[in-house]
Amino acid sequence: MDWQEFVKLKAVIEYEKVRNIAGTIDCIKHLHEYDFDPLPCNQNEFAKLYLMKNLPVDSPVRMFADVDMSDFGDKILHHKQGAVTSYGILSGRNQVLYAGLTAESEQSESEDETEESAMNMGGM
């Protein structure tokens, strides 16, 4: 395992809250299912990188330099079931950090939230 994979493994172990060898071995088996970027260290930095990778090349991305985009980054990470770890940004399993969001995936997330809300209200 090279250094970059080792750091990603540490991020996955933190994300999955692994506390034993069996859990670590499971993380190693599924390491390829996570997307990881060690550069952004918070939601704000992640959101700006996300925009840079998803907006057209000639977009005025610099106008976001002084804007706090933490909430936006948090929403993207929530959508991708990811998190900020001590080692960088990690996606949830089988998610891609910088892939664009689609209306279809947003709709399925909205349906999931509606179902969860109904369950919390006793199915009413």
Side-chain angles (χ1 to χ4, degrees), residues 37-92:
D37 188 346
L39 295 180
C41 62
N42 58 44
Q43 292 92 333
N44 183 45
E45 290 178 14
F46 170 68
K48 290 175 184 179
L49 280 171
Y50 180 86
L51 285 177
M52 285 177 30
K53 293 177 184 269
N54 283 284
L55 289 175
V57 176
D58 58 343
S59 297
V61 177
R62 289 188 179 152
M63 68 188 223
F64 299 114
D66 296 329
V67 176
D68 183 0
M69 302 188 77
S70 299
D71 288 341
F72 179 62
D74 194 48
K75 288 183 188 318
I76 295 168
L77 285 173
H78 175 76
H79 177 77
K80 296 181 178 283
Q81 296 136 13
V84 175
T85 71
S86 302
Y87 306 95
I89 304 290
L90 186 74
S91 73

Side-chain angles (χ1 to χ4, degrees), residues 22-43:
T24 301
I25 291 169
D26 189 55
C27 287
I28 292 170
K29 289 179 186 176
H30 296 282
L31 193 60
H32 66 281
E33 297 175 15
Y34 295 88
D35 195 10
F36 176 67
D37 188 346
L39 295 180
C41 62
N42 58 44
Q43 292 92 333

